[in-house]
Amino acid sequence: MEHTNQTQNINITDALMTRINELISHYPSDKRKSALLPVLHEVQDAHDNWLSIELMDRVAEILQIKPIEVYEVASFYSMYNQRPIGKYMFEFCQTSPCCLNGVENLMDYTCNKLGVKVGEPTPDGMFEVRGVECLGACGYAPMMQLGDFYQEHLTEEKIDQLIADCKDNKIILHDK
Ligand code: FES
């Protein structure tokens, strides 16, 4: 699991708690753990897109499970972040069909343009580049995920436009 010394302001608001309880209600009362994935999504969305140890401990408390059960899930799936990440996370698919269609060159291009390495946010915290496993959109290779949305058939020109749109605040990250 990635570790960070950064502290996080934990704020489980009434609205967030209502949403969590609604998610928990979808499962039998002795299977609260089944709500873990959607609950982590909600909690992460409400906390600048990352989960500190303290926040995961709070989720464990709410779901009445062991903290290690939360850590295991959060560290397994790439959509959960255990450290602060760039606001605009370019998650390039690095599985074979995307690789065969040049995704690695596009990742290098993006990193050079942003002046970062993979896995390092820009100093202003705006951008980050990450490689992930197949996102199930192989027919649209090379592709990446940005927020909740897929960006497909990527080219250097499309990357330029996406970066410009992010800087101009024209990119919507979440579908709700
Ligand atoms: S290989 Fe890239 S989406 Fe499947």
Side-chain angles (χ1 to χ4, degrees), residues 19 40 86 103 116 118 136 145 152 176:
R19 177 73 186 127
L40 282 177
V103 82
V116 292
V118 171
Q145 182 164 1
E152 299 160 346
K176 61 183 177 201

Side-chain angles (χ1 to χ4, degrees), residues 93 95-98 134-138 141 143:
C93 166
T95 304
S96 307
C98 283
C134 179
L135 290 166
C138 324
M143 60 80 64

Side-chain angles (χ1 to χ4, degrees), residues 5 26 45 61 74 82 84 94 116 127 142:
N5 293 328
H26 296 173
D45 284 353
E61 205 178 289
Q82 282 99 66
Q94 282 190 295
V116 292
F127 294 96

Side-chain angles (χ1 to χ4, degrees), residues 25-36:
S25 75
H26 296 173
Y27 303 93
S29 56
D30 61 340
K31 298 270 186 299
R32 291 167 71 92
K33 186 183 172 185
S34 302
L36 178 54

